[in-house]
Amino acid sequence: MHLAEGILPLNQAIAFSAVGAATLAWSMRGEQIARCDEGTPSVLMAGVTSLLFAVTLLPLPVPVVGATSHICLTPVLALIIGIRRIIWPTFFVLLLQALFFAHGGLTTLGINTIALGVVGPMATIGLWTLIKRLGFGGAVGLGLACGVGGLMVYITDAFVLAFALSNVAEPATTFTTVVLGFAPVQVPLAIVESVAAVAIIRLLANRRPDLLPEALSELKRPTFDAAKRTSLLVIFGLFGCRYEGIDGTVFGAAAESAGRAPTNSIIDMSQGEMGLAMSVLILFGLGFIAGRTWERLFHGGKDALPR
């Protein structure tokens, strides 16, 4: 989900940035409309942004392969808040990660936002709608829809990379090489994505079913189960730094072999004391927001929610 700086030709970078800016404007306009709705708790969006930032930055390892990658979480979050409202938090999170953690880049910010905030959620919502019509709208169907949505983010990156390198390599060859490269990592993590999505929905269904669409609020189960699974995901991710991430090894290697090696970010604040200080402040601030959101959503009751 973090295509690096320098991978896209200038014309493609400009085109994707323009499309990303248009979708961002559409999303922010939708957020203004949603804020006027007294039935929509604005604190929910703070929790969504904090959770999305943490999950997409957390490297999850696949020990057999010896590589790490990220789950996306935008598929299940889009089912909760809608595809229009998930776009602007996705952009904000990717911007911070590009500036202060050297994940992704500014010239690829448009396509990264589209892949993570639009394509993945759209695939999930479409598949979930189909699954419900077929009568399989339970936990398995939900997990399948979210897992496929997460995979679609990386398949989109493979398509983009194939056409970005089309002047030096056959697009079909590049696409196949990239897909085969990330499949051993992303397919297992798609299962993790499915489990995490079901755990989040079940947690909300037990604690705050009013925040969920009707079709999701029925997926209840003891909250201990969801908490246990979420804890396992966090523990699983603590060991990710020992492996190489596929953002660089697969996407970067494919680009470099075609003669378009990734470059340093245009603006990189991830190094030095300033980068460290800003990283700490960002993580502390988002952690505080996440904690307050958790408290208000699950312990403060409806009266504690700002309107």
Side-chain angles (χ1 to χ4, degrees), residues 25-239:
W26 176 67
S27 176
M28 295 184 70
R29 174 58 181 162
E31 182 65 18
Q32 292 177 346
I33 296 173
R35 290 290 177 89
C36 295
D37 179 6
E38 294 184 357
T40 303
S42 58
V43 70
L44 179 62
M45 295 306 295
V48 165
T49 305
S50 297
L51 183 60
L52 184 60
F53 180 89
V55 168
T56 53
L57 197 61
L58 180 68
L60 297 179
V62 179
V64 176
V65 182
T68 67
S69 188
H70 314 279
I71 62 174
C72 300
L73 215 63
T74 50
V76 67
L77 295 177
L79 289 176
I80 297 173
I81 65 175
I83 189 171
R84 186 171 186 177
R85 299 188 75 190
I86 195 60
I87 296 172
W88 73 259
T90 302
F91 171 82
F92 177 70
V93 162
L94 290 174
L95 177 62
L96 291 180
Q97 291 173 355
L99 290 176
F100 298 107
F101 296 90
H103 286 310
L106 297 182
T107 60
T108 56
L109 187 57
I111 185 55
N112 287 339
T113 301
I114 293 168
L116 183 60
V118 179
V119 177
M122 284 185 64
T124 298
I125 291 174
L127 183 56
W128 175 240
T129 301
L130 177 61
I131 288 174
K132 287 191 297 180
R133 289 182 179 178
L134 295 176
F136 300 100
V140 175
L142 174 67
L144 176 62
C146 293
V148 170
L151 283 175
M152 282 303 300
V153 173
Y154 287 89
I155 291 175
T156 301
D157 286 343
F159 269 115
V160 170
L161 193 59
F163 284 100
L165 304 175
S166 60
N167 62 326
V168 290
E170 184 67 28
T173 301
T174 302
F175 176 77
T176 302
T177 301
V178 173
V179 169
L180 292 177
F182 72 64
V185 178
Q186 287 308 134
V187 171
L189 288 187
I191 299 175
V192 176
E193 177 112 32
S194 301
V195 173
V198 173
I200 290 171
I201 294 300
R202 282 177 169 166
L203 180 63
L204 287 173
N206 278 277
R207 298 285 188 172
R208 291 298 307 272
D210 57 299
L211 297 178
L212 296 175
E214 184 177 354
L216 295 177
S217 62
E218 300 174 356
L219 296 175
K220 295 184 179 181
R221 195 167 178 175
T223 55
F224 171 76
D225 182 72
K228 182 172 69 173
R229 293 181 182 183
T230 305
S231 299
L232 288 175
L233 287 176
V234 173
I235 294 173
F236 184 60
L238 293 179
F239 303 97

